[in-house]
Amino acid sequence: MKLPNHVAIIMDGNGRWAKERLLPRGEGHRQGMNRMIDLADYAFTKGIDYLTVYALSTENLSRPKEEVEGLFNLFRLYFTVNVKKMIKRNMRVKVIGDVSALPEDIQKLIAQNEQASAGGTRGCLNIAINYGSRQEIVYACNRLVKEGKEITEESLSSALYTGGQPEPDLIIRTGREKRISNFLLYQAAYAELYFTDVMFPDFTNEEFEKALSDFSGRKRRFGKTDEQVGNA
Ligand code: FPP
């Protein structure tokens, strides 16, 4: 089966998952985090090299304080406890987004773990926190202008948070909605899109396999013809 090298996931539906069970929204996020941890391990074990997960958009930061604080506490837990296992298993973790707006202790934890895992070769987990794709593009352009560099497809691509990484081959969105929500707009130019009604806490490895199987049947042409790209 043809595997994607880079999978990105919009982990939507945690709130509805919790509501259906009469649980607080934060419980949905906690279950979502645990699912994300197992899914990353599963994906890297299969040989997928990059997994990018949308944990908090720039817009999400203006949700009620209690929910945002709950997410911050999950990040604290992840970056003090859960990430250790990943690093031990030679995986790399990187945060994409404007971390300067996060509480200082979280910024420190992120920097420490990015540093500690920088040499990891068994998969790279990009966690998008306070991430917005439009902001990312504007930030990258401004950086190039400041450095006196010409803006080209290559220079812009390498100035993004994901600079140096391959573009996503497959973007999955759970939770029934069919939109991209300001996620990897530049990088997604030729990504295959997969939408599922399953809420993220219920997005099991089996559900992930369904997405991979769907991907393996897609004919990618990158704007060319089947013959040009060698599709049967
Ligand atoms: C969208 O569901 C999900 C989020 C805004 C947060 C996702 C965060 C996690 C899964 C935790 C990640 C933790 C780490 C450490 C990476 P929603 O709340 O918008 O769901 P709804 O649309 O059903 O209300």
Side-chain angles (χ1 to χ4, degrees):
M1 190 166 88
K2 184 185 65 182
L3 269 185
N5 185 29
H6 183 170
V7 178
I9 309 186
I10 301 175
M11 307 183 286
D12 197 14
N14 296 336
R16 279 163 289 160
W17 182 92
K19 197 172 171 195
E20 278 161 20
R21 289 161 180 78
L22 307 177
L23 295 168
R25 290 178 63 82
E27 183 55 22
H29 294 319
R30 200 181 64 82
Q31 294 284 343
M33 180 182 83
N34 291 334
R35 187 77 284 275
M36 186 280 291
I37 291 168
D38 288 346
L39 199 59
D41 195 50
Y42 185 76
F44 295 143
T45 304
K46 279 189 81 76
I48 290 168
D49 287 326
Y50 293 87
L51 183 71
T52 301
V53 294
Y54 207 176
L56 188 75
S57 72
T58 309
E59 293 72 24
N60 290 155
L61 260 192
S62 48
R63 285 193 177 186
K65 198 167 171 270
E66 192 191 317
E67 180 166 351
V68 174
E69 272 305 320
L71 280 164
F72 285 167
N73 284 335
L74 283 182
F75 298 151
R76 288 186 177 99
L77 178 68
Y78 178 77
F79 285 111
T80 47
V81 180
N82 308 96
V83 78
K84 300 245 159 38
K85 194 171 143 204
M86 265 191 69
I87 296 178
K88 233 188 219 160
R89 300 181 67 180
N90 199 23
M91 293 165 185
R92 183 175 168 206
V93 64
K94 181 176 164 60
V95 170
I96 62 171
D98 177 12
V99 292
S100 69
L102 302 176
E104 261 177 43
D105 65 313
I106 299 183
Q107 293 186 42
K108 264 194 204 141
L109 283 172
I110 290 172
Q112 278 164 9
N113 284 293
E114 283 186 332
Q115 230 173 11
S117 71
T121 53
R122 235 196 97 226
C124 174
L125 175 68
N126 292 319
I127 305 181
I129 300 180
N130 192 23
Y131 175 86
S133 190
R134 287 181 176 176
Q135 291 87 336
E136 175 186 35
I137 294 167
V138 170
Y139 166 82
C141 290
N142 279 323
R143 206 176 108 190
L144 292 172
V145 168
K146 236 186 237 162
E147 291 170 2
K149 292 188 180 142
E150 191 189 348
I151 297 178
T152 63
E153 287 194 16
E154 286 71 29
S155 68
L156 180 52
S157 171
S158 61
L160 299 173
Y161 294 124
T162 51
Q165 299 189 1
E167 290 179 354
D169 303 293
L170 171 65
I171 298 183
I172 298 171
R173 182 177 188 137
T174 62
R176 213 177 295 148
E177 314 296 353
K178 294 182 177 61
R179 52 178 173 259
I180 288 295
S181 299
N182 206 12
F183 188 47
L184 305 176
L185 300 180
Y186 190 87
Q187 299 91 328
Y190 286 104
E192 297 295 324
L193 307 179
Y194 179 87
F195 299 99
T196 169
D197 288 351
V198 172
M199 302 294 147
F200 187 69
D202 286 335
F203 189 66
T204 55
N205 295 345
E206 291 71 39
E207 290 294 336
F208 184 53
E209 280 295 339
K210 284 187 202 167
L212 296 179
S213 159
D214 187 278
F215 172 83
S216 74
R218 305 270 181 108
K219 281 196 176 168
R220 305 184 78 195
R221 284 187 287 274
F222 303 94
K224 300 184 177 151
T225 65
D226 278 334
E227 290 71 26
Q228 282 176 306
V229 293
N231 281 337

